[in-house]
Amino acid sequence: MAQSYSLTWALGGSAGASLLVALSGFLFPIRERHATDPDPAENINAPSIALDLKPRSGPIVVRTHYLVPSENVDLFMSLMLERRQVQSRIGARHWTLTRDLQVLSRWTETFRTPTWADYLRLNYRLTTAEKELDDRIRQLHEGTLPPDVTISIERPTGILAKSNQPSPIVPQR
């Protein structure tokens, strides 16, 4: 603007834009959290785990095993297509759905999150409609127990892994 018009116009436009931004804070204030409001971090139910993970520990791999009777497979597949979109939106990565070739009613949903904190935030990000989708999927699961969920942490192997043992010496040719 300074090249096309003048420095005065450029500075005046910048000042005007700054005033508009400041006024928008009065028109659209951010709601303050009161002491009586529930703390979002308290609503995150962390599953019990055997390791003492830090928030940045990861990547985390989550597998949910469903038992779906053959008459419900088509509905299950359409609901899982929706679930894939939901999981992607809330931060899950590398989502897959596999079917066991030996027990055809067994389906496994797998996804990853970069860190333990990201995994804990997943359920907090679900909308009411997305929670209802989870309930509809769980209703297709047969048996008295809920779907089996396993949570793992990936660990590198080989050169990337930290080890207390010295690395083997490889003879050079």
Side-chain angles (χ1 to χ4, degrees):
M1 211 169 152
Q3 286 180 347
S4 299
Y5 297 101
S6 72
L7 184 59
T8 305
W9 275 97
L11 292 174
S14 178
S18 296
L19 283 174
L20 286 176
V21 169
L23 287 175
S24 70
F26 289 109
L27 296 174
F28 307 105
I30 296 175
R31 188 178 81 81
E32 291 185 34
R33 192 174 88 70
H34 301 287
T36 57
D37 290 344
D39 184 4
E42 292 175 5
N43 293 334
I44 297 175
N45 296 327
S48 60
I49 55 174
L51 291 175
D52 181 29
L53 295 181
K54 306 295 182 231
R56 296 192 49 82
S57 297
I60 303 298
V61 180
V62 180
R63 288 182 184 88
T64 306
H65 306 280
Y66 300 94
L67 295 174
V68 180
S70 59
E71 62 269 11
N72 292 338
V73 168
D74 290 338
L75 179 57
F76 178 75
M77 292 296 290
S78 67
L79 293 176
M80 291 307 277
L81 179 62
E82 288 180 52
R83 182 160 169 84
R84 178 183 186 161
Q85 294 169 347
V86 168
Q87 294 290 73
S88 178
R89 183 193 67 78
I90 63 176
R93 301 291 176 254
H94 308 288
W95 187 95
T96 62
L97 180 64
T98 58
R99 187 176 195 180
D100 192 312
L101 293 176
Q102 295 173 321
V103 181
L104 293 180
S105 65
R106 188 180 313 156
W107 293 80
T108 303
E109 172 192 22
T110 305
F111 64 87
R112 289 172 171 69
T113 61
T115 66
W116 178 243
D118 290 321
Y119 169 73
L120 294 177
R121 287 188 203 108
L122 286 180
N123 289 328
Y124 181 70
R125 294 179 180 151
L126 289 174
T127 66
T128 302
E130 292 165 350
K131 289 177 185 177
E132 290 171 1
L133 172 66
D134 285 352
D135 291 339
R136 290 185 0 231
I137 292 170
R138 272 190 229 104
Q139 289 173 358
L140 296 177
H141 173 77
E142 67 182 359
T144 55
L145 297 175
D148 180 41
V149 178
T150 58
I151 304 166
S152 310
I153 186 166
E154 284 186 354
R155 288 293 178 222
T157 58
I159 295 173
L160 298 176
K162 292 181 180 177
S163 175
N164 293 337
Q165 300 178 8
S167 60
I169 298 174
V170 178
Q172 296 186 4
R173 296 179 187 201

